Amino acid sequence: MSARPLLVVVLAAGQGTRMKSSLPKVLHKIGGRSMLGHVLDVAKQIGGDKLAVVVGPGMEVVRKEAEVQAPGASVFVQQSQRGTADAVLAAREALAGHSGDVLVLYADTPLLPAEALKALLARLDTGAAIAVLGFDAADPTGYGRLLTDGDGWLTAIREHKDATEAERDVRLCNSGVMAFRVDDVLGVLARIGNDNAKGEFYLTDAVEIARRDGARAAVVTCAEDDVLGVNSRDQLAVAEGIFQKRARAAVMREGATLIAPETIWLSFDTKIGRDVLIEPNVFFGPGVVVEDGVEIKANCHFERAHIGRNARIGPFARLRPGAELGPDVHIGNFVEVKNVKLGAGAKANHLSYLGDGSVGAGANIGAGTIFCNYDGFNKARTEVGEGAFVGSNTSLVAPVTIGAGAYIGSGSVITKNVADDSLALERSSQEERPGWAAKFRAMMSKRKAKTD
Ligand code: UD1
Ligand code: MG
């Protein structure tokens, strides 16, 4: 990449009416992160010096997302959607104060790899004043066509609606990603008119204007998957599918085994170590880290959780935010863990809810144990000490502390703290009447015989 300063302008003003959503289009998610978040991330990866995001009026949620995902970015408002050139002009202030390269990205194109953008920017060092990222479309309908001369230089970009029959036969299409090495980008944009089928100010017209000034425009191509534009829910699903395929491949490259990769759903930030074995149908929400050697059985759901080395999880386990599992922990079927730290080797193998608290190393949580953490108003914590043994079907009513090495008898409702190494039992003592059942049956059959 060149040493010239780089300004990246991300266009995110479109509401995206074809999404039929109350959420602005660019906030729809791919791999657990908004499309805008993906685009801002790639902008950061290529090392832009300045970042400008253009949002629509009243799109406070989009502005917020931009501020969260790219804290240093300046946000501009495009008052009415009059086209992509007009959208770039909304960032006039950023452009005016900038001398160097300008890269325009559309926030509805979430799968862009940094390499493609670097190749595009590099083209500005080899004679091109404008470089456009193009691709060979399987179906070019709707895309702008890239028209080139005999030497492969770009002469114009023709929007589908404005194209002649012959131009529509061109399969080389505009991804929307454009890079400029023009001293006066604002001057070029100011000359763009709106005499076209949509009556919009097209950014793509910059190519013809620059050519008239004697500058040259070039095309750099990439794979269609890299520049998929999302305008509808079905395209959103296609983009999600491509994202997942890439994420699964990355996880397997790093040494994890996915028995049925097409059934594993990953997030943009999922981290999975080596020699991790994942059975089918597992969903990773954002913020999950899985250390080396972990085995995850089928049908689990995770979100903002940490799974320590060699742990065994599932089948049918749910780890919610703040589940922090130490090494060798076992979490079995129908166990839900939220905001609980489990020490090394702790086990909760069946049918439990562990919410808000801690479980010491080596402790055993019996089947059906519930941390009663909520009284309808406040949450409270349950602390289980190291090596404690909690019998099956126990309710631990928080706030409560179970000492290290303590035993809790099955079926207890524990409301008071239990000291280290004690036994706590909370249930009525068992009564037994020898021979009662036989007598009862004899009496009942006699009665029945009389009434028949
Ligand atoms: C655009 C390109 C087309 C290209 C296609 C690739 C133009 C004129 N056309 O068409 O050549 O093949 O992308 O997907 O650029 N936006 C604003 N303000 C506006 C208009 C648009 O911020 O006034 C934003 C949208 O939010 C979106 C992006 O710009 O993120 C592209 O706009 P969109 O309407 O989706 O353009 P396309 O018709 O897809
Ligand atoms: Mg589009």
Side-chain angles (χ1 to χ4, degrees), residues 26 28-45 65 69 105-107 109-112 240 243 267-269:
V26 300
H28 284 262
K29 289 179 178 172
I30 304 283
R33 173 161 67 180
S34 70
M35 293 197 272
L36 176 61
H38 282 277
V39 174
L40 293 175
D41 184 56
V42 77
K44 279 187 266 175
Q45 282 178 45
E65 176 73 349
Q69 301 283 348
L105 303 176
Y106 295 169
T109 308
L111 302 173
L112 278 173
E240 179 76 50
F243 172 86
S267 280
F268 69 98
D269 60 351

Side-chain angles (χ1 to χ4, degrees), residues 59 102 170 188 212 219 256 285 291 449:
M59 282 190 181
V102 176
V170 173
V188 172
R212 262 182 260 141
V219 182
E291 291 187 25

